[in-house]
């Protein structure tokens, strides 16, 4: 503690002379976020034709944010039940984590039936990924490295690195076909050191929209089993990709059935439209119930100094929807309708390009890809041209957020794409 003598010796004039130099004077300006930059440019554009295809949030066919009816009903039930605002436990709302685990792994999953699934509520998918990365850095008994697909969601890289993990990329996207380079992927998995942590997008790969087929997932599982690799699944779009929650969980469930001890980052932002509620979970398939108890204890130790315990409102919404049979059925219908609208926009966009504007380029990838995003194949120069000439805004890698397309503007977009890509 500062003595009275020392305090008295600090003269006001000395303090004032240093006041102009801020403690944070040397902090540099950070780079802008690529997606937020697109949105800012879009906002400044005064054209009536402008389109924002950068943000990964669902919009209805009128271009408006969509709150699911099942979610609204769940909130009414919560209000009627006069739910309190007490703290959740460190690992979250139990009724939520139980329902989230069952949705992801399946009600009949051996990991759930044998009580060996350690699961904690997270701050959406991003928080789940960070929790997982921290757990691997603390407890993974092999090299603290992870390999991610090339390309991958931009936030994967800083999340893993900031948690202390080394990071490299494996072959994934084929720029020539705008599809999956399965041979390159399998070769890289074969070459990776044994016991490598492999990050896998469970469905609706972001940013490419390119998913392995079921047969290709079987091949991936086989190679990873042979090399003793560890699967770190990121599932942000269950149900939103194909419209079928079970189909979208195929890879995760396949790996568990084949004996992989997987981990999963799960989000309810997209499939329930709960973007701002930040609802997700992180789960670990353990060997037995005793191991689960130990893992649970260490997850709590990671969570407690990070944010103590998670928020409850969004978790209660998900819990109410998934644990109320009629609401769950309504939600399954709604998530399918969202997926179907995206699929319809893909079909219409391709049809306009090929039939209305006579594009000679191959646009099969628009309908072959799945989920919210389409990797268009446009170059950075073409992206700049479509922005400057047509007021269409997307990220420099040519990724289109299909949710920003509607029946009112899909033909305009097709005309724009055709004009900037034609020879």
């Amino acid at each position: 503690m500062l003595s009275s003598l020392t305090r008295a010796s600090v003269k006001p004039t000395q303090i004032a002379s240093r006041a102009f130099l801020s403690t944070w004077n040397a902090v540099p300006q950070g780079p802008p976020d690529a997606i937020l930059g697109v949105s800012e440019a879009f906002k400044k554009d005064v054209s009536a034709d402008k389109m924002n295809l950068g943000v990964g949030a669902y919009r209805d066919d009128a271009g408006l944010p969509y709150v699911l009816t099942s979610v609204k009903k769940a909130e009414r039930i919560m209000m009627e039940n006069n739910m309190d605002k007490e703290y959740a436990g460190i690992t979250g709302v139990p009724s939520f984590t139980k329902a989230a685990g069952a949705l992801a792994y399946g009600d009949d999953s051996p990991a759930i039936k044998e009580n060996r699934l350690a699961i904690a509520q997270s701050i959406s998918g991003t928080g789940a990924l960070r929790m997982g990365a921290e757990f691997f850095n603390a407890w993974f008994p092999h090299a603290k490295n992870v390999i991610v697909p090339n390309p991958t969601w931009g936030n994967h890289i800083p999340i893993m690195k900031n948690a202390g993990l080394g990071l490299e990329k494996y072959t994934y996207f084929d720029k020539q076909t705008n599809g999956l380079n399965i041979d390159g992927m399998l070769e890289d998995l074969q070459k990776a050191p044994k016991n490598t942590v492999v990050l896998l997008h469970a469905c609706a790969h972001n940013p490419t929209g390119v998913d392995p087929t079921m047969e290709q997932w079987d091949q991936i599982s086989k190679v990873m089993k042979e090399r003793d690799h560890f699967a770190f699944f990121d599932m942000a779009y269950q149900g939103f990709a194909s419209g079928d929650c079970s189909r979208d969980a195929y890879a995760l469930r396949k790996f568990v059935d084949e004996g992989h001890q997987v981990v999963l980052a799960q989000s309810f932002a997209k499939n329930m439209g709960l973007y701002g509620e930040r609802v997700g979970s992180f789960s670990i398939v353990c060997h037995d119930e005793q191991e689960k108890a130990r893992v649970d204890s260490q997850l709590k130790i990671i969570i407690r100094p990070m944010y103590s315990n998670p928020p409850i409102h969004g978790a209660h919404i998900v819990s109410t929807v998934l644990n109320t049979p009629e609401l769950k059925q309504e939600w399954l219908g709604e998530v399918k309708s969202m997926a179907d609208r995206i699929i319809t926009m893909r079909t219409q966009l391709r049809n306009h390009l090929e039939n209305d504007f006579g594009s000679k380029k191959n646009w099969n990838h628009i309908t072959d890809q799945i989920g919210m995003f389409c990797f268009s194949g446009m170059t950075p120069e073409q992206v700049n041209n479509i922005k400057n000439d047509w007021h269409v805004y997307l990220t420099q890698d040519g990724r289109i957020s299909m949710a920003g397309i509607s029946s009112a503007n899909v033909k305009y977009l097709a005309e724009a794409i055709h004009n900037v890509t034609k020879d």
Side-chain angles (χ1 to χ4, degrees), residues 277-320:
E277 298 291 355
R278 313 306 294 143
V279 195
S281 78
F282 175 70
S283 54
I284 302 177
V285 174
C286 300
H287 178 66
D288 55 33
E289 193 170 348
Q290 291 71 37
E291 183 176 279
K292 170 189 175 289
R294 298 194 302 272
V295 168
D296 274 332
S297 72
Q298 293 299 332
L299 287 176
K300 290 176 182 177
I301 289 170
I302 289 172
I303 294 166
R304 178 64 169 154
M306 287 177 69
Y307 54 87
S308 194
N309 45 42
I312 62 172
H313 186 77
H316 281 309
I317 292 173
V318 177
S319 174
T320 303

Side-chain angles (χ1 to χ4, degrees), residues 353 357-360 363 413-422:
L353 279 162
F357 300 108
S359 176
K360 302 305 180 186
W363 297 107
L413 175 62
E415 183 180 8
I417 293 173
H418 172 60
N419 274 275
V420 302
T421 60
K422 65 184 180 182

Side-chain angles (χ1 to χ4, degrees), residues 68-85:
L68 278 65
T69 303
S70 55
V71 167
K72 293 177 180 178
K73 289 180 179 179
E75 289 188 302
R76 284 199 290 271
I77 291 171
M78 290 160 57
M79 288 292 290
E80 290 167 1
N81 289 342
N82 196 28
M83 300 182 76
D84 61 45
K85 300 295 183 183

Side-chain angles (χ1 to χ4, degrees), residues 213-274:
T213 64
M214 290 183 179
E215 293 76 17
Q216 288 169 337
W217 275 122
D218 295 348
Q219 292 177 277
I220 294 165
S221 174
K222 182 175 182 291
V223 171
M224 288 185 59
K225 194 77 170 174
E226 290 170 354
R227 299 294 295 160
D228 293 322
H229 293 333
F230 200 105
F232 191 144
F233 277 101
D234 182 3
M235 188 159 66
Y237 297 93
Q238 186 183 6
F240 195 95
S242 69
D244 183 331
C245 286
S246 295
R247 178 179 174 183
D248 290 348
Y250 174 82
L252 173 70
R253 297 177 186 181
K254 170 76 175 179
F255 273 58
V256 174
D257 289 344
E258 295 195 343
H260 294 270
Q261 280 190 272
V262 308
V263 303
L264 170 68
Q266 179 185 21
S267 169
F268 288 91
K270 307 297 193 299
N271 59 10
M272 280 201 189
L274 298 176

Side-chain angles (χ1 to χ4, degrees), residues 33 35 56 123-130 148-160 167 169 199 201 204-208 234 236-237 265 267 270 278 373 375 397 399:
D33 182 273
I35 295 174
I123 311 298
S124 202
T126 301
L129 288 160
R130 182 57 184 263
V148 302
N150 184 24
T152 193
W153 180 48
N155 218 15
H156 279 147
I157 295 169
I159 287 170
M160 299 299 162
L167 184 141
K169 296 179 180 179
L199 189 141
H201 297 232
H205 180 276
N206 180 3
T208 70
D234 182 3
Y237 297 93
S267 169
K270 307 297 193 299
R278 313 306 294 143
F373 301 109
F375 230 43
D397 57 7
R399 187 195 79 167

Side-chain angles (χ1 to χ4, degrees), residues 70 103 243 245 321 327-337:
S70 55
L103 182 70
C245 286
V321 170
L327 284 187
K328 184 177 181 180
Q329 286 305 308
E330 184 170 7
W331 169 69
L332 289 171
E334 288 184 294
V335 75
K336 186 178 187 307
S337 72

